Amino acid sequence: MTIDLSRVAIIARKEFADHLTDRTFLLVLALFGILTVLSLEATLTSYASMMRSYEFLLERALERAAHADPSPLFPLPTPPPPLAGLIFQRIGDTFGIFGPLIAIAVGFNLIAGEREEDTLKVLLSRPVYRDEVITGKTLGGVAVLAFASAAVFALALGGVLVAGLTVTPHDAVIVVRCWGATLLFLLAYFGVAVAFSAFSEDSGRALAWTMAVFILFSTVVPVVAVDVARTVAGPAPPWPGADAPPDEVQRYQEEMHVHAATYGGVQNMMLALSPEGNFGVMRGALAGEDLAASLGGVWQNLIGLLAFPAIFLAVAYVRFMRIDLR
């Protein structure tokens, strides 16, 4: 049996159009737009304050350096981070909190809603195969999430331009990186919602089970990750004191480095089980200057973010192919 891509495209377009005309979805998207504007305004205000502080400290540092001995290097203040990375990291914070809700809203009634309204039997009575139906509906949902997240990022980018700020090609690359990570994050909970939608006979149960999984991974797993990391790393080495010999201070610094590396490694490994944990680590990496170097330390988080929707969507596919609609 071969999938007819034209039929898949028709189903995907219908699913996409149904969501874009749904008042609940449009309301959630409008709320995201409002949150984006508020976040953008707060970020621009904060960045302007950081720039004024940096310019003030830099001016004072240069004045002091001009009257001091020019032989040693005079310490200069650290400049603020790139504005684009800061803005879209804040947008990522908004998606990290509210993004799963829009993903769940798109996916929880994808199949259960059709069964609840007895429209799935009518759909499958047409000359269309089950794998074409689930593939088309899934692609339609993915397209909706891609459109919604891209619209929010485009709104933020437009706000930056309206504010009179210059967007460099590197800034545009950062935007695309952050949008890609955000879409993967949304797809994680979309996959969960579709899987429970396939196993549930009504949309209410699908929503309840999906929200339970969302609470588990968004709140329980991060808390457990901290507890496990603290247990494995053990207590931090005690500070030897300000008057300690240099060798003791050096030993303390080495022990602290090992402790911090152990704690961070265990916590990051545990957070790889959570879409929120993976998304949080990825946001910080993708906002950096060197993508290859940034991803080198978070490859397991990228794999986790890719595997999460893949596993749940595969489960949804298998379940849908075996649903008894009699």
Side-chain angles (χ1 to χ4, degrees):
M1 181 178 63
T2 303
I3 294 180
D4 189 332
L5 296 181
S6 63
R7 290 197 291 258
V8 171
I10 292 173
I11 297 172
R13 284 198 299 268
K14 182 181 182 302
E15 191 71 26
F16 183 80
D18 287 345
H19 280 291
L20 289 188
T21 55
D22 182 72
R23 293 182 179 180
T24 302
F25 174 78
L26 294 177
L27 177 60
V28 173
L29 187 59
L31 290 176
F32 261 90
I34 295 172
L35 291 173
T36 299
V37 172
L38 294 177
S39 177
L40 178 63
E41 182 181 4
T43 304
L44 292 176
T45 302
S46 175
Y47 190 81
S49 176
M50 285 191 294
M51 283 299 300
R52 287 193 298 268
S53 177
Y54 169 71
E55 291 171 356
F56 174 80
L57 294 175
L58 180 61
E59 182 180 353
R60 293 295 180 270
L62 294 176
E63 289 178 357
R64 292 177 59 187
H67 297 87
D69 184 3
S71 56
L73 292 176
F74 198 87
L76 297 177
T78 303
L83 179 58
L86 186 62
I87 287 175
F88 292 101
Q89 201 163 5
R90 295 283 178 85
I91 301 300
D93 292 340
T94 303
F95 269 105
I97 299 173
F98 301 103
L101 300 181
I102 193 172
I104 292 171
V106 172
F108 82 95
N109 63 348
L110 198 75
I111 299 170
E114 298 271 9
R115 295 182 68 182
E116 197 173 14
E117 297 175 2
D118 283 334
T119 56
L120 192 57
K121 293 181 181 179
V122 177
L123 178 60
L124 292 177
S125 65
R126 305 289 180 87
V128 61
Y129 295 110
R130 289 195 179 199
D131 53 353
E132 295 172 347
V133 172
I134 185 63
T135 302
K137 292 178 75 66
T138 301
L139 290 178
V142 172
V144 169
L145 294 177
F147 171 79
S149 55
V152 172
F153 274 84
L155 177 62
L157 187 60
V160 171
L161 295 174
V162 170
L165 301 174
T166 302
V167 178
T168 65
H170 178 68
D171 294 336
V173 171
I174 291 179
V175 173
V176 175
R177 293 178 190 172
C178 295
W179 172 74
T182 300
L183 180 58
L184 287 178
F185 175 61
L186 296 181
L187 291 182
Y189 283 108
F190 173 72
V192 174
V194 174
F196 282 108
S197 182
F199 278 92
S200 303
E201 295 182 357
D202 58 81
S203 56
R205 294 179 185 179
L207 179 59
W209 280 108
T210 305
M211 291 302 297
V213 172
F214 167 58
I215 293 172
L216 171 66
F217 284 105
S218 63
T219 58
V220 177
V221 171
V223 172
V224 172
V226 172
D227 291 339
V228 172
R230 187 183 293 120
T231 301
V232 174
W239 167 244
D243 55 349
D247 57 339
E248 291 188 14
V249 174
Q250 182 177 1
R251 183 169 60 253
Y252 164 78
Q253 293 175 342
E254 293 174 352
E255 292 176 353
M256 277 298 297
H257 178 74
V258 173
H259 179 272
T262 303
Y263 182 93
V266 173
Q267 185 183 27
N268 196 26
M269 181 177 63
M270 291 294 296
L271 288 178
L273 301 174
S274 167
E276 279 82 2
N278 291 320
F279 182 51
V281 175
M282 290 294 298
R283 285 205 315 271
L286 294 175
E289 296 291 330
D290 189 348
L291 178 62
S294 300
L295 290 180
V298 295
W299 58 268
Q300 67 271 29
N301 302 102
L302 177 60
I303 293 176
L305 211 55
L306 290 169
F308 209 88
I311 292 172
F312 279 96
L313 288 175
V315 170
Y317 180 89
V318 173
R319 171 58 182 171
F320 183 79
M321 296 297 290
R322 297 180 178 179
I323 289 180
D324 185 3
L325 297 175
R326 291 179 296 175

